[in-house]
């Protein structure tokens, strides 16, 4: 009887994962076709199996596929980061962009750009490795401030975490503006575009720089899904069943910040994705994190790739930053959640 009760839920989860992956493949094909150089679908498929022309191979494998893979990886990382934050804070409005973690990472990157006058930002090969580390420093600084200020009477409440995060976000946002105003016009425009959320690391080197963060931290987070499930029951119950609550909360916070910081370093200031994807996943499969986390990752990749493709099509030949597209879609959903929960 137990097996019969749980089998439909398992089948639903598998069906949703398969459907999401199929949709992702379809969007990948559409995204390869989108752009100033139009490549017919049958030519795309021929090129992918090794029968394309040299021009199509260059366009697809050296320009479009790296950006597509990067968008998927960034979407996965930000979505899982948001799911972790919502789990450890027990706050459905938690998101690395809203709480100020993305702003902290962005502030650190803007400082790096300011002091190096932007030269290493785009051209230097060392920026591939320096940028994620710089963003991580800023993200961890923001997370430390949020956690430290939110701590009261031996615990961190979800309301304090959200309010402090919004305040820290505003503070880093003000710092960003100050340093942007001191920049040269060219560097200023670079920061504006980057902070709007744009997949700028569009070559395989950047993909390889981000890939280890994704393939190591997301599976580890899924491994910790039982801890997140216990946290959902409340602090007292979690402590009662033997969970070292603050230790696990800090560990998961570090993972969330690491994912967000690494993704911001190549994807810019993308907000609301870490809010939307976990919420959609929970509505589809329930609150069990062993299902929510992998589905959030797949949906995050699908959503960000779709937004990036739309951004390249809507205002062609110009590009609308993917962060703006996500914000247009995510802001109304955030307001809806705020009205329901507060």
């Amino acid at each position: 009887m137990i097996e019969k009760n749980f089998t439909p839920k398992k089948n639903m989860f598998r069906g949703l994962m398969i459907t999401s992956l199929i949709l992702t493949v379809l969007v990948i094909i559409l995204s390869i076709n989108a752009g100033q150089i139009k490549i017919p679908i049958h030519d795309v498929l021929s090129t992918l199996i090794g029968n394309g022309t040299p021009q199509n191979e260059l366009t697809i494998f050296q320009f479009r596929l790296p950006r597509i893979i990067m968008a998927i990886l960034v979407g996965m990382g930000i979505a899982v980061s948001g799911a972790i934050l919502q789990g450890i804070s027990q706050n459905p409005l938690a998101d690395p962009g809203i709480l100020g973690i993305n702003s902290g990472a962005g502030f650190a990157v803007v400082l790096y750009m300011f002091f190096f006058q932007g030269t290493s930002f785009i051209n230097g090969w060392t920026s591939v490795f320096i940028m994620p580390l710089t963003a991580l420093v800023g993200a961890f600084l923001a997370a430390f401030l949020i956690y430290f200020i939110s701590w009261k009477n031996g615990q961190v409440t979800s309301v304090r975490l959200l309010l402090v995060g919004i305040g820290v976000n505003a503070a880093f946002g003000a710092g960003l503006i100050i340093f942007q105003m001191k920049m040269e016009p060219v560097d200023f425009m670079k920061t504006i575009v980057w902070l709007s959320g744009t997949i700028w690391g569009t070559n395989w080197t950047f993909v390889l720089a981000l890939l280890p963060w994704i393939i190591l931290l997301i599976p580890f987070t899924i491994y910790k899904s039982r801890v997140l499930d216990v946290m959902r029951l409340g602090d007292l119950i979690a402590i009662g069943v033997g969970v070292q609550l603050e230790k696990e909360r800090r560990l998961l916070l570090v993972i969330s910040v690491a994912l967000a910081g690494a993704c911001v370093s190549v994807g810019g200031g993308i907000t609301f994705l870490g809010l939307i994807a976990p919420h959609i996943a929970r509505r589809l499969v329930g609150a069990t994190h062993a299902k929510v986390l992998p589905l959030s990752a797949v949906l995050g990749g699908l959503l960000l790739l779709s937004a990036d493709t739309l951004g390249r099509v809507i205002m062609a030949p110009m590009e609308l930053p993917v962060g703006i597209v996500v914000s247009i879609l995510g802001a109304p959903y955030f307001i809806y959640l705020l009205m329901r929960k507060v």
Side-chain angles (χ1 to χ4, degrees), residues 113-114 117-119 183-192:
M113 294 168 62
F114 177 77
Q117 297 299 314
T119 55
M183 285 181 167
E184 296 294 329
V186 174
D187 294 334
F188 176 80
M189 289 305 301
K190 289 177 183 177
T191 61
I192 288 292

Side-chain angles (χ1 to χ4, degrees), residues 242-312:
V243 174
Q244 296 179 318
L245 190 60
E246 289 305 322
K247 178 182 177 182
E248 295 288 354
R249 186 174 282 161
R250 284 193 293 267
L251 174 61
L252 289 166
L253 180 61
V254 167
I255 295 171
S256 175
V257 172
L259 284 170
C263 291
V264 167
S265 69
V266 293
I270 298 172
T271 309
F272 294 118
L273 182 63
L275 175 75
I276 299 172
H279 268 275
I280 295 175
R282 286 193 188 91
R283 284 183 175 270
L284 293 173
V285 298
T288 304
H289 284 87
K291 297 178 181 178
V292 169
L293 291 170
L295 186 58
S296 295
V298 175
L299 290 176
L302 173 60
L303 289 172
L304 193 64
L305 177 60
S306 301
D308 186 52
T309 304
L310 283 174
R312 290 193 286 127

Side-chain angles (χ1 to χ4, degrees), residues 89-338:
S89 67
Q90 298 305 305
N91 193 322
L93 303 179
D95 169 79
I98 297 171
L99 290 184
I101 293 173
N102 286 3
S103 294
F107 180 73
V109 171
V110 167
L111 283 181
Y112 169 76
M113 294 168 62
F114 177 77
F115 287 110
F116 286 91
Q117 297 299 314
T119 55
S120 298
F121 176 63
I122 296 297
N123 299 320
W125 67 269
T126 55
S127 65
V128 177
F129 305 98
I130 292 176
M131 287 292 291
L133 294 176
T134 304
L136 283 175
V137 171
F140 277 113
L141 174 61
F144 172 78
L145 290 174
I146 294 168
Y147 196 85
F148 178 76
I149 299 172
S150 301
W151 183 276
K152 185 177 182 181
N153 298 328
Q155 62 179 351
V156 176
T157 64
S158 60
V159 175
R160 284 179 62 84
L161 192 72
L162 179 64
L163 294 177
V164 171
I166 292 173
V168 170
N169 190 19
F172 277 118
L176 285 169
I177 293 174
I178 291 172
F179 280 95
Q180 281 179 288
M181 297 301 294
K182 292 179 175 289
M183 285 181 167
E184 296 294 329
V186 174
D187 294 334
F188 176 80
M189 289 305 301
K190 289 177 183 177
T191 61
I192 288 292
V193 174
W194 181 80
L195 290 170
S196 298
T198 180
I199 309 297
W200 66 270
T202 54
N203 63 58
W204 291 112
T205 305
F206 288 95
V207 172
L208 293 176
L210 180 61
L211 190 61
W213 300 93
I214 303 299
I215 63 176
L216 291 177
L217 295 181
I218 290 181
F220 183 75
T221 304
I222 296 173
Y223 170 74
K224 286 287 185 179
S225 60
R226 291 180 180 272
V227 176
L228 287 168
D229 288 338
V230 174
M231 287 182 179
R232 187 165 54 90
L233 301 176
D235 292 358
L236 293 178
I237 295 177
I239 294 171
V241 298
V243 174
Q244 296 179 318
L245 190 60
E246 289 305 322
K247 178 182 177 182
E248 295 288 354
R249 186 174 282 161
R250 284 193 293 267
L251 174 61
L252 289 166
L253 180 61
V254 167
I255 295 171
S256 175
V257 172
L259 284 170
C263 291
V264 167
S265 69
V266 293
I270 298 172
T271 309
F272 294 118
L273 182 63
L275 175 75
I276 299 172
H279 268 275
I280 295 175
R282 286 193 188 91
R283 284 183 175 270
L284 293 173
V285 298
T288 304
H289 284 87
K291 297 178 181 178
V292 169
L293 291 170
L295 186 58
S296 295
V298 175
L299 290 176
L302 173 60
L303 289 172
L304 193 64
L305 177 60
S306 301
D308 186 52
T309 304
L310 283 174
R312 290 193 286 127
V313 171
I314 292 173
M315 298 181 64
M318 296 178 61
E319 291 186 9
L320 187 64
V322 63
I324 294 178
V325 178
V326 174
S327 294
I328 292 172
L329 299 174
Y333 192 69
F334 176 72
I335 295 172
Y336 163 73
L337 288 174
L338 198 63

